[in-house]
Amino acid sequence: MSATLMKGKPLAERIRAEVAEEVRVLGHVGLVTVLVGDDPASDVYIRLKHKAAVEAGFAATDLRLPADTSEADLLAKLDELNASDDVDAILVQLPLPKHIDEARIIRAVTPSKDVDGFHPLNAGELYLGRPAIVSATPRGVMALLAEHNIELDGAHAVVIGRSAIVGKPVMHLLQQANATVTLCHSHTRDLAQYTLEADILVAAVGVPALVSADMVKDRSVVVDVGMNRTEAGLVGDVDPGALDRAAYMTPVPGGVGPMTIACLLQNAVKCARYRRGELAYPG
Ligand code: GUN
């Protein structure tokens, strides 16, 4: 039996239509994406984000800065965007060039305009169980699980990957939804021992087909956050052979990817509501 595919596109389209309606009612909602340098993968992501923002009616600015932009100049630009009444939400695409201190840049974005939810205040509120702005990919994962009525309460969820962008935030969200969460990473001994116990498996490591079909528990729910460019094309962290074992599984591409952009736009609307005082930040 083959797993039910948890497709991101239909749900993402619905969310984007809802966001477009919210933006229409709000009027001007300013979203600025910032890309420093010309990393090809980042260029693709920024284009997709910008296009989606324009389609949803945002006043979207695709700000490109040269690779040799100094940290001081980037900080000065962020000060300007933080202070601007035309700007509701700011996204600085990562990774930044090596000569720029990423942590310092993340801290420099006003928390209520931090559409990625990467600022320590937003990350901290999530850690404390009071989510304010939560990064888009983890929210996309949770939205897909909710859409398919996956029972999280009491389930054993295994997350592979401990990044600040996906692994750690999704761990908190799953735990806050009353799952029992095991966080695995590159130093985990005998990964299969954990994955075979996972009612819900979230793979977010960036290693093509790290999780083989025989590592997946029968009738489990598999969320593949991996987007790995290989000679064979775009592949996930989970071998597609796992479709024969899982009850539900996200496709790659077309699973979590579209959800990230939809949830990012939702976050931008939230930023706009903070700036207008319709919502209290952090709440
Ligand atoms: N680089 C990889 N993923 C992301 C993301 O979600 N946001 C930003 N800003 N940069 C990224």
Side-chain angles (χ1 to χ4, degrees), residues 123-131 172 176:
E125 291 290 350
L126 175 62
Y127 166 92
L128 293 170
R130 306 184 298 237
H172 287 297
Q176 286 164 26

Side-chain angles (χ1 to χ4, degrees), residues 49 91-94 116 118 165:
K49 290 170 186 176
L91 180 150
V92 181
Q93 187 66 23
L94 305 179
D116 266 324
F118 293 169
I165 296 184

